[in-house]
Amino acid sequence: MIKTSRKTFTILKWIAGIVFVLFMTADAASWYLSSKRRPIVTKELKDLVLHATDSLYRIEFSTVNSNYLLGNASILDVHILPDTNIYNKLVRLKHAPNNIYEVRLKKLTIWNFHPLRLFRDKKLEVDQLLFEHPSVVMINKQFEFNENRPARPYRSPYAYISKFLKKVSVKSIDLKDISFKYVNKNLAVPESDSLDNLNITFKDWLIDPHSATDPSRFYLLKDVLINLNDYDFATPDSLYHMRINALSFRASTGLLHINRFSLTPRYTEMDFGPAAGYAKDRFNIQMTDIRLTGIDLPLYVKKLQLSANDMTIDNGFVNVFNNNELPSRGVVRMGKFPHQLLQTVKGQLSVKKLHLNNVDFSYALFDRYTRQKGKISFENTSGTISNVTNETRVKQKNPFMLASLDSYMMGQGKLHVNFKFDLNAKNGAFAYNGELTNMKGSVLNKITKPLGLVQVKSGEVKKLTFNVIADEKQAKGNLAFAYDDLSIGLLKKVEGKNRLVKQGLISMLANALVINPANPNKTGQFITAPIDFQRDPTNSFFSFIWQSLFQGIKYTVGLTPKKEAEIAAKIAEFEKMKADREVRRENRQRRHDARGRK
C-alpha cells in the first residue's frame, strides 16, 4: 500500500512538472509574441481608433502589455482626444456630431480577446474593455443638420477593418467611477456641470457589414446602462444638499429609476431665514421610487432633450416654510408660477404624463405678530399631470399643461382639484377648479388661529366648490360653501405671553350678529361668494391660491369687508367703554381715599 502511494505520488510529480514546463513555455511564447508584436499592436490600435471615428479621434498611451496565452491586455496612460481641425472640417461638411468627448485614464484593461479566433478567423472578439476611474469631458454644440439624423455613424467603420478583420465586437465596455464634466456651448457664454461616481456600461458594440445600418442599434451598440450611487451635491447658495441614493437607466427599455431623491435644507426652519438674510421659502423635499419610461437616449445625447412617455413618483413629501418676522427682500415674484419656471429649465424637457401616488404637500408660515406657526397640508395626494414640457413645438400644438389631483386637506377633507396652465401665456395665466367635502371645521385651526386670529369652535364642511381664472396679478371666480353649525372665537395676542387669548364678548357678538351659522340657512337661502383677489406680487403661487380661496370662504360665512369693519368698530367701541369704565373706577377710588384721609 505504501509502495503504491509512493508510485502515485511520483507520477503526480512528473505530471505537475510537465504541466509547469508547458505553462512556462507557453508563457514565454506569449511574452515573446507580446514583445515582438507590441509595435504592430500599438500601430494597429491607433489606426483602428483613427479610422473607426473618421479621423475625429486619436488615442495616445504610454505602454501596451498583452498576454496571448490568456487573451488579456492592458494599455497605460490612455488619452482619447478629438482633433479640432478635423472637427471644424466636419462642421463645414455638415457631418460633425453634436457631442465631442475627451477621455483620460491611467489604465484600460482588455479582457479575453480570444487570440485563436483572431488569428484563425480574423475576428477580434473581446469580452470586456474596462476603463477604471476615467475622466470624461463631454462638449455639446447642437447643429441643425443633425436634426433628423439617425443614431448611427455617417460612414461605417467596417470599410476600414474589412481589409484585415471580418468583425470587431466587444461584449461589454465598462466605465467605472467616472469623473464627468458636461460643457454646454449652445449659450452665449458656455456653461459647465460636473458629476462624480458615475458608472456606464456599453453592451454589445459591433462592427460588421450590417451593424452601422441595424435599426436595433444606436451608435453600433445594443444597449447602454447608467448607474449613479450616493450622489451628494451642495447647491451654490450653500442652503441645500441635493442627494440621489441610487439611479439606474437602461437605454433598450428607456427606463430610468431613482430609488430616492431629496433636497434637504442645511438649516432648521427658524435658522434658515437668517442664513439666507431675508424671509425666504424653505423647501424640504423627498421623493422615493421615481420612474421614467420611454426615454429616448439618442435624442438626449444629440440635443440634450429629455423626452419620456410617463413619469411616476410613489411616496414622498414637499414641505415649504417661511418666517415672515424677517424682512422681505421685496422682490416682485413675476414669472415664478410652476408653468413659468418650467420654461426656464435648461435643455428641452417633455413628459407626456406625470403620475403622483401618496405624496404629501404642506405650506407653513411663522407669523411675526402671533409668533406662532400656521400650517396647511394636503396629504396622500395622487393624480396625473399631462403635457409637462418646455418644448416650443409641442406647446404650439398643445399649449396647456393639465393637472387632475386628489388629496386630503389636513389629512381629513377629501379634495379634488384641476389645474389648467397656459404654457404660452406671458402673464402666467392659469385656471383651477375643485371640490372639498366632509371635513370638520376645527381642523382648520392649525392655520386660522396663528395666521388669522380666528378659532373654529365648531362647524361641519359639507361641500366647498370653486372655479377660478387667474394670472400673475389677480384671481376671479366664484365659490360655493355648504356647511353647518359654524361657531368661531376671535383671538388676540397678549403682550409678554406666548399664547393667544379669546375675546369672549366680541366673539359672542360676532357669532350672534355677523357669522352665518349655516349655509343654506334655516329659510333655505344659499349664499355663494364671488372671488376678486388682487395678488401681492411678492407672494408665492401657493399663498396666492390659498388667499384667493380664503377670501371666498370669509365672504360666505359673513366676514365681508363691511362686516369686518363693523366688528372692528364694535371692538373699538367696547375698548372705549372698557377704558371709560376703568377711568370711572379710578376716580371713585381717589374720592374714597380722599374721604378716608379726612
Side-chain angles (χ1 to χ4, degrees), residues 356-361 378-383 405-408:
L356 296 177
N357 298 306
N358 191 30
V359 179
D360 296 338
F361 297 90
F378 302 91
E379 301 172 23
N380 192 22
T381 303
S382 299
L405 304 172
D406 291 292
S407 186
Y408 289 88

Side-chain angles (χ1 to χ4, degrees), residues 297-341:
L297 180 64
L299 181 64
Y300 182 79
V301 170
K302 184 170 64 176
K303 298 179 60 178
L304 293 183
Q305 179 176 338
L306 179 59
S307 177
N309 292 331
D310 290 279
M311 179 176 180
T312 301
I313 300 175
D314 291 327
N315 307 310
F317 60 79
V318 177
N319 298 332
V320 186
F321 173 83
N322 197 304
N323 181 359
N324 80 351
E325 72 172 346
L326 298 171
S328 171
R329 195 168 57 165
V331 174
V332 174
R333 294 190 182 186
M334 294 298 185
K336 301 297 183 181
F337 286 178
H339 54 310
Q340 294 174 310
L341 291 174

Side-chain angles (χ1 to χ4, degrees), residues 413-427:
K414 181 66 183 296
L415 173 67
H416 176 77
V417 62
N418 301 305
F419 287 93
K420 184 177 183 180
F421 298 98
D422 189 341
L423 299 174
N424 287 335
K426 300 298 183 182
N427 65 349

Side-chain angles (χ1 to χ4, degrees), residues 51-52 155-165 207-209 211-212:
H51 288 85
R155 184 184 304 169
S156 173
Y158 182 74
Y160 170 72
I161 71 156
S162 62
K163 299 173 184 177
F164 51 91
L165 289 173
I207 301 176
D208 72 1
S211 60

